[in-house]
Amino acid sequence: MTDSRSSAGSQDLVLDRVTKRFGSFVAVSDLSLTVPQGSFFALLGPSGCGKTTTLRMVAGLEQPTDGSIRLGADEISRLKPYRRPVNTVFQSYALFPHLSTFENIAFGLRRRGAKDVRKAVGEMLELVELQSHETKRPTQLSGGQQQRVALARALINRPQVLLLDEPLGALDLKLRRSMQIELKRIQTEVGITFVHVTHDQEEAMTMADTIGVMHNGVIEQMGQPGSLYESPRTTFVSNFLGQSNLVAGHIVDAAGPDLVVEVQGTKVTGLRSRAAVTAGDVWVGVRPEKVTLTRSDASPGEGWNVFRAGVVSDVSFCGVSTQYLVRMPWGQELIAFKQNTGAEAGLRAGDVVDLRWQREHTFFLDASEDAEAGVEHEDGA
Amino acid sequence: MTVAGASLLATPHPPAPARPRRPRTGYLLLLPGVLWLVLFFLVPTVALVASSLYDPTGSLFEGYQMTWHVQNYADAIAEYAPIFGRSLLYAAIATGACVLLGYPLAYAIAFKAGRWRNLMLIAVVAPFFTSFLVRTLSWKLLLGDNGFVADTLRTLHLLSPDGYLLATPLAVITGLTYNFLPFMVLPLYASLSKVDPQLIEAGSDLYASPITTFRRVTFPLSLPGLVAGTLLTFIPASGDFINSELLGNPRTRMIGNEIQDLFAAGALPVAASLSVTLMALIVLMVLVYVRRVGTEDLV
Amino acid sequence: MTSVRGVRRWVGNHLVLGAALLVLLYMITPVLVVILMSFNDPAGRLGYDFDGFTLDNWANPCGPYQLCSSLVTSVEIGVLATVLATALGTLMAFAMIRHRFTGRSAANVFVFLPMASPEIVLGSSLLALFVNAGFAGQLGFWTIFVAHVMFCLSFVVVTVKARLHGLDPALEQAAMDLYANPWQTFWRVSFPLVFPGILAAALLSFSLSFDDFIITNLNAGQTVTFPMFVWGAAQRGVPMQVNVVGTVMFLVALGLVLASGTFRRRQRG
């Protein structure tokens, strides 16, 4: 495998203002993005946000209503799926039940009249560690094995882009975790552009070089997992990736190096680079794991923000950490995670605490957005 | 509040890709078969209705006059009403018998058969493999005056010493029931096998006795199969004449016999009007039946 | 739990199964009679009693006049009608499942109608057509053929549709994703997976055609098919070789079913 990353940019996947309408329903709206060649890109979003539709348009299984899709210099939007150098790993795997594992993997090669099929399939079987299963039918394989066959079947064709449609959804937790590492390893080894569609934000953050968070047919924010997580730009992203505490506030000073925001009678400061807006009403955001709960109201010290006089309303033990719900004097319940290092005794419901966090961990979002956007409710709403 | 993704070249809005005209393959695929059915099912039906309105004084050799002779219907119905009644009655009884015999069988195969399920299904379908006529003829043997069944019934005093089974309405109905039983069992089985066993368990969990669970859970869920089965049994049975001819006597003649003989004799208009009347009766009964049972799962 | 209650419980549990087995017995018995009678040495012409055991019937199956020729006619018509009905019906099934077009539900109903009509009506309407079209003198092999294709079509469509319904569309999409054009997709993915349904439809069609009497009789003219032969013989005295044919048909069909079952089990294992 040649290192395709050396010729960076030559075979980037480019979606240019792609729109897809089904009747009056707009599934994908004016979507533009560039996936650099050889990178692992995750398209992340809740069900119904349009990510699978986008993937299918790249595969050729749907036609865009507007816009174009390009691979390097080639316009591929009009090409049939069997003419695109793009392969898909389907959510249900779609393995051909009447063919053996060997024939499934060889399918694409045979259609293109490749010569040494046996050798290529053998190498692929080694890559996915299924050498002893080549004569078996898909129904005789476990879920994890089927998933690897689906992957091998697509990869063997050396596509320029490999599309994965929530391929790990049907696997149980432990298997999913190990497959995530596997996929990442394979992608790094093989160097092909991967576009991975998922609703699992942990999966996206683990595997991807770049994540695009998609909501209602548009990409709300795109970037590296770390920067997306630490600097969300919209309430949806802040709630969909991990969890966030969002408190209403008003910017009082935007002139200096830091932003100063008035929140419930307290002053909160934070970095300007973490602010989506720099004037007017904002949501002040901080991640629960960045929040420390302390009993006394000792002086916070330089560089810390504090909310005082919260009352612990719920304590949940989660193994690795403990989740605290703290009811603030203004009625809102905030969340704090504390890693169970075993160093100190935990807090109990009814304890009065201060919430403090370092000011660099604050982010600011546009107050006109819905603070509940992206929060997953029990009924799946 | 959208945030556009990474680099985009400042190109003008690209034109929408031309959508390929979807070829009308659907219609093409459908065409030959539909054409055949139109030619040899639809048109003949029209021809049949037309024939029923011919002047009965014509003949196959001389041809017929189309005189819109609706009187044919009046004549036919007046003369053959009792036979219509008898046919529908026999068909109804046979259908009822098929339900009584077929339901337990279907139920057993669906829920109680375990690994014998496939074998039992084969046993249901296997009699089909011998010819319809040959099977019916063997009933002639079974129900014969000196046969095993008649002898046994006489010993049990269910039959008088000089009583007989063959050439009776009972024999005809037995034949009808036998021949159409698979048509009842298979759709019923299909419906029952789709009932989630957990539903039955839920019934028990909610204090229903087995009989109540059956009445309120299983039976209603099997209705689509029951409707399909009764239709697939009743409709062909009402038009049958083989069983009546082989196992019955001149007093058990069904409408099928009459139509067959009239056609053989060349009395086209009368025979056609009988046919159309039969069809109309069936359609009427089916509509009433399906409306009452309230399900539309036919195919 | 007293043993009486235990017995009652056992009976209750097995009541349905017992009834079912009785019904099965009822269904199998005439077939056993057929097999038995194939070895019958009838005393008289109207032999409906088992008089003596003989292998003559099996040794000389084509003895009775017209038995074997009618058998051949039935098989010929059956094969031809099956081929055409299966081909047309499969195309229709694909159209109705895989393509969208207006009038799909109307097509569904239209296809169902022949299955829901009594044979006497189907047969007589065809006869009416032939007479009115001036073919009254040409009733025979080809009119029977036409009739058989007509009533087999619906059954083929329903059978293949049922199989096609269970075919995951993702499989065909996966094939296209893997460089198969529509033709290759059909031959290498759709067709092999639907094939069991097509085969079942063909077998069903053949048996419906072979066994048909009512429609055939009305449209046969001078041609004689096997059921027509049996019917005619029933008036004069059925030769026992008829039972031989019935037995052979039964065994062949049974053999096919069992063979396909083992084949499928071997495939899966």
Side-chain angles (χ1 to χ4, degrees), chain B residues 206-249:
Chain B
L206 293 165
Y207 315 113
S209 68
I211 296 185
T212 314
T213 308
F214 173 77
R215 213 159 49 101
R216 293 200 174 279
V217 177
T218 319
F219 183 75
L221 289 172
S222 68
L223 272 182
L226 190 61
V227 170
T230 42
L231 289 180
L232 285 174
T233 309
F234 180 80
I235 294 176
S238 50
D240 185 72
F241 64 82
I242 295 178
N243 285 284
S244 162
E245 183 74 33
L246 292 178
L247 301 173
N249 62 54

Side-chain angles (χ1 to χ4, degrees), chain B residues 18 23 31 60 78 87 108 116-117 129 138 147 153 168 173 183 205 209 247 285 290:
Chain B
L31 195 63
L60 270 179
S87 305
W116 298 109
R117 175 181 298 197
F129 300 152
S138 49
L153 287 181
T168 62
I173 295 177
F183 287 113
D205 182 73
S209 68
L247 301 173
M285 291 183 79
V290 171

Side-chain angles (χ1 to χ4, degrees), chain A residues 323-336:
Chain A
Q323 176 175 313
Y324 295 100
L325 282 180
V326 183
R327 186 173 295 280
M328 306 311 294
W330 61 89
Q332 188 179 1
E333 264 186 338
L334 299 181
I335 318 171

Side-chain angles (χ1 to χ4, degrees), chain A residues 43-52 166 197-200 213-216 236 240 374 376 380-381:
Chain A
L43 201 49
L44 173 69
S47 42
C49 70
K51 56 193 194 298
T52 300
E166 307 211 45
V197 158
T198 179
H199 64 270
D200 183 339
V213 179
M214 206 161 160
H215 183 44
N216 286 341
F236 180 82
F240 194 78
E376 298 207 4

Side-chain angles (χ1 to χ4, degrees), chain B residues 25-27 29-30 32-34 36-45 47-48 51 54 60 64 101 104-105 107-108 112-113 119-120 122-124 126-135 137-142 146 174 177-178 181-182 232 235-236 238-242 245-246 256 259-260 263 268 275 278-279 282 298-299, chain C residues 13 16-17 19-21 23-24 26-31 33-34 37 48-50 84 88 91-92 94-96 99 101-102 107 110-118 120-122 124-129 131-132 145-146 149-150 153 158 211 213-214 217-218 226-228 230-231 234-235 238 242-243 246 249-250 253-254 257-258:
Chain B
T25 33
Y27 284 119
L29 292 176
L30 210 51
V34 168
W36 194 279
L37 281 180
V38 164
L39 263 180
F40 299 116
F41 172 70
L42 203 57
V43 171
T45 309
L48 187 72
S51 300
Y54 286 167
L60 270 179
Y64 290 94
L101 291 176
L105 182 55
Y107 191 92
K112 307 251 183 223
L119 204 60
M120 284 177 87
I122 293 178
V124 169
F128 242 137
F129 300 152
T130 50
S131 170
F132 181 73
L133 283 161
V134 175
R135 284 200 306 274
L137 280 175
S138 49
W139 271 110
K140 227 173 155 148
L141 176 83
L142 279 171
N146 300 320
T174 306
T177 307
Y178 178 79
L181 198 50
L232 285 174
I235 294 176
S238 50
D240 185 72
F241 64 82
I242 295 178
E245 183 74 33
L246 292 178
I259 297 178
Q260 166 71 26
F263 269 114
L268 187 60
S275 259
L278 177 64
M279 197 62 226
I282 288 178
L298 278 181
V299 182
Chain C
N13 274 340
V16 173
L17 196 56
L21 288 174
V23 175
L24 273 182
Y26 166 73
M27 294 180 82
I28 298 281
T29 309
V31 177
V33 168
V34 170
M37 290 301 276
Y48 287 113
D49 294 318
F50 194 87
L84 191 58
L88 294 182
L91 291 179
M92 285 179 82
F94 267 93
M96 287 158 85
H99 293 84
F101 51 90
T102 48
F110 186 56
V111 166
F112 177 70
L113 286 178
M115 282 197 302
S117 314
I120 189 77
V121 174
L122 285 178
S124 51
S125 52
L126 259 180
L127 182 62
L129 173 74
V131 166
N132 279 303
F145 166 76
V146 162
V149 173
M150 183 269 291
L153 252 181
V158 168
D211 211 17
F213 174 72
I214 298 181
N217 192 40
L218 280 170
F226 181 69
M228 289 172 69
V230 176
W231 176 261
Q235 330 292 354
V238 179
V242 161
N243 292 302
M249 285 173 61
F250 175 74
L254 196 63
V257 169
L258 291 175

